[in-house]
Amino acid sequence: MPAVSMTVNGKTVSGDVEPRTLLVQFLRENLRLTGTHVGCDTSQCGACVVHMNGVAVKSCTTLALQAEGAQVTTIEGLAPNGAPLHPMQEAFRENHALQCGYCTPGMIMTAVDIVRRKGNELDDHTIREELDGNICRCTGYHNIVKAVAAGAKAMAK
Ligand code: FES
Ligand code: FES
């Protein structure tokens, strides 16, 4: 089996993977980073979003081997080792932007990427358009949109 090596949440990691192993499988099964979820496996729900070299990607449609040498950040990496919550995590908590929480890690990783691309002042329309690739089965999105706007502002501080 080919070996793969990458940096995940600031740590160098490596492992033997099959060519078909998905990045999400590598993160969850090899590294036990189970905050990254699988909701569909067909690139629709966004529960699996992580950052690869600073850009949001769906780890269910990225091969582990494609992440060779990459810097990967998962939801666990936003507030490592008991550090305070990332401002976007805090905004989701404050704004009651989750119910079951299944979609939340992907929503937050996408939200942080939206801020990187669109800045800290986000209107509702932009947030709703940009969250097109993230599905929530519970909340009706209203509080998620509020949280993303608040988190974006907080990230400017
Ligand atoms: Fe990746 Fe749904 S599990 S988009
Ligand atoms: Fe349940 Fe979004 S909070 S799927």
Side-chain angles (χ1 to χ4, degrees):
M1 283 201 289
V4 68
S5 167
M6 65 189 82
T7 304
V8 178
N9 300 335
K11 269 200 242 164
T12 305
V13 297
S14 55
D16 294 329
V17 293
E18 292 184 46
R20 65 180 176 176
T21 300
L22 299 169
L23 179 57
V24 69
Q25 290 175 298
F26 183 71
L27 294 171
R28 289 180 56 87
E29 294 166 24
N30 293 50
L31 306 182
R32 300 285 170 207
L33 292 170
T34 54
T36 303
H37 294 162
V38 178
C40 68
D41 250 346
T42 51
S43 204
Q44 291 176 55
C45 77
C48 63
V49 171
V50 299
H51 295 174
M52 192 161 104
N53 297 327
V55 174
V57 297
K58 289 184 169 172
S59 61
C60 75
T61 35
T62 305
L63 295 169
L65 288 173
Q66 288 177 292
E68 171 65 32
Q71 298 276 344
V72 175
T73 306
T74 69
I75 189 71
E76 291 90 346
L78 287 192
N81 299 327
L85 291 179
H86 183 281
M88 191 60 77
Q89 291 175 305
E90 189 59 41
F92 270 64
R93 193 178 71 83
E94 286 271 313
N95 288 279
H96 309 289
L98 58 139
Q99 289 181 26
C100 78
Y102 201 83
C103 70
T104 310
M107 286 283 180
I108 289 174
M109 298 310 282
T110 297
V112 171
D113 188 60
I114 297 171
V115 177
R116 177 185 68 78
R117 290 181 293 106
K118 301 276 176 180
N120 298 90
E121 295 299 324
L122 298 172
D123 60 56
D124 286 10
H125 177 73
T126 302
I127 295 170
R128 284 180 186 272
E129 269 201 349
E130 292 290 331
L131 287 179
D132 190 39
N134 290 73
I135 293 172
C136 176
R137 299 282 186 199
C138 305
T139 66
Y141 299 96
H142 184 71
N143 285 2
I144 291 175
V145 173
K146 268 172 47 185
V148 174
K153 276 194 181 32
M155 283 172 65
K157 291 182 190 151

